C-alpha cells in the first residue's frame, strides 16, 4: 500500500495523512505510542510536550469533536498543481476527522469521490498537539505535519506550515472542514 493511499484519511485530512510521503510501498503502520499524547497551548516555542495526558486548553478545545469536508480532484490540483494523477482518486472524496481531548485523532474517508474506487486504506489514527494557533499532527513521526489553524462559525481551516506529505498538504488545506453536530 503506498504512503499516498495513507493520505486518503487525513485528507480523507485526511484525504491526505493516510497517503503521506513517497510513492514507495509503506511498511506496516507504526504501533500506537506507549505514552499518552499531550495537548498543550504554550507560548514558549522550545517547550517540549510532557508524556502525561493534559486537558486541551480553552483554545485547543475548539478543535475537539468531528469535522467533515469533501475534496475533489480539482481541489487537490488547485493546491498542488503537480499532484500525481494516479493518486487523485485515493485522496479525493468525503472525509471525517475526530479530534479527541486526549491528544489523539482519527480520520476516515467516509465516501470516495463519484467515479473513483474505494481506496484500500480509509482509516488513520495518530496524535495531535497544539501550540498557540499551530497544530502538529503525528508529532515526531515520519508523517509529521504542521498547520496554522482557525475555527470560525463551525468551520475549521488549515494553512500549511511544514511537513513533507504532499497529499496531506493538498487535502488538509483545500477546503474548510465543517463541524459535525
Amino acid at each position: 500500500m503506498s504512503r499516498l493511499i495513507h493520505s486518503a484519511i487525513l485528507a480523507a485530512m485526511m484525504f491526505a495523512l493516510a497517503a503521506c510521503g513517497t510513492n514507495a510501498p509503506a511498511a506496516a503502520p507504526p504501533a500506537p505510542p506507549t505514552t499518552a499524547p499531550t495537548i498543550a497551548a504554550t507560548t514558549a516555542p522550545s517547550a517540549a510536550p510532557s508524556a502525561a495526558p493534559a486537558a486541551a486548553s480553552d483554545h485547543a478545545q475548539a478543535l475537539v469533536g468531528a469535522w467533515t469536508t469533501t475534496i475533489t480532484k480539482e481541489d487537490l490540483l488547485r493546491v498542488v498543481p503537480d499532484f500525481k494523477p494516479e493518486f487523485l482518486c485515493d485522496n479525493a472524496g468525503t472525509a471525517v476527522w475526530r479530534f479527541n481531548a486526549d491528544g489523539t485523532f482519527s480520520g476516515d474517508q467516509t465516501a470516495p469521490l463519484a467515479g473513483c474506487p474505494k481506496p484500500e486504506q480509509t482509516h488513520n489514527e495518530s496524535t495531535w498537539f497544539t501550540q498557540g494557533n499551530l497544530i502538529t499532527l503525528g508529532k515526531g513521526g515520519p508523517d509529521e505535519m504542521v498547520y496554522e489553524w482557525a475555527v470560525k462559525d463551525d468551520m475549521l481551516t488549515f494553512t500549511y506550515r511544514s511537513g513533507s506529505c504532499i497529499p496531506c498538504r493538498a487535502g488538509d488545506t483545500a477546503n474548510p472542514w465543517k463541524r459535525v453536530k
Side-chain angles (χ1 to χ4, degrees):
M1 173 179 338
S2 81
R3 290 178 76 190
L4 283 178
I5 293 174
H6 171 199
S7 165
I9 306 313
L10 288 185
M13 192 146 200
M14 296 223 325
F15 293 103
L17 255 182
C20 295
T22 68
N23 296 336
T34 56
T35 58
T38 301
I39 301 174
T42 63
T43 56
S46 62
S50 68
S57 70
D58 289 342
H59 184 62
Q61 188 65 34
L63 286 166
V64 173
W67 304 86
T68 188
T69 196
T70 298
I71 298 176
T72 66
K73 294 176 188 179
E74 292 79 13
D75 292 330
L76 296 169
L77 290 166
R78 175 176 38 83
V79 177
V80 179
D82 60 346
F83 200 100
K84 293 187 177 185
E86 63 268 29
F87 298 109
L88 287 169
C89 275
D90 289 342
N91 294 284
T94 300
V96 175
W97 284 99
R98 284 181 184 79
F99 289 98
N100 302 311
D102 67 355
T104 61
F105 75 84
S106 64
D108 294 281
Q109 185 176 18
T110 58
L113 191 65
C116 288
K118 181 179 177 182
E120 285 183 39
Q121 174 150 354
T122 60
H123 179 78
N124 187 50
E125 295 178 0
S126 192
T127 59
W128 65 284
F129 173 84
T130 63
Q131 185 171 347
N133 68 336
L134 296 179
I135 183 169
T136 302
L137 304 172
K139 186 172 181 73
D143 297 329
E144 177 179 300
M145 295 297 290
V146 178
Y147 300 101
E148 185 175 322
W149 64 277
V151 174
K152 183 176 181 187
D153 299 326
D154 284 334
M155 298 298 279
L156 170 63
T157 57
F158 294 105
T159 303
Y160 171 79
R161 291 295 172 242
S162 67
S164 62
C165 178
I166 292 170
C168 299
R169 185 181 89 202
D172 298 349
T173 64
N175 295 321
W177 294 77
K178 182 178 168 98
R179 186 178 296 278
V180 176
K181 303 261 182 181

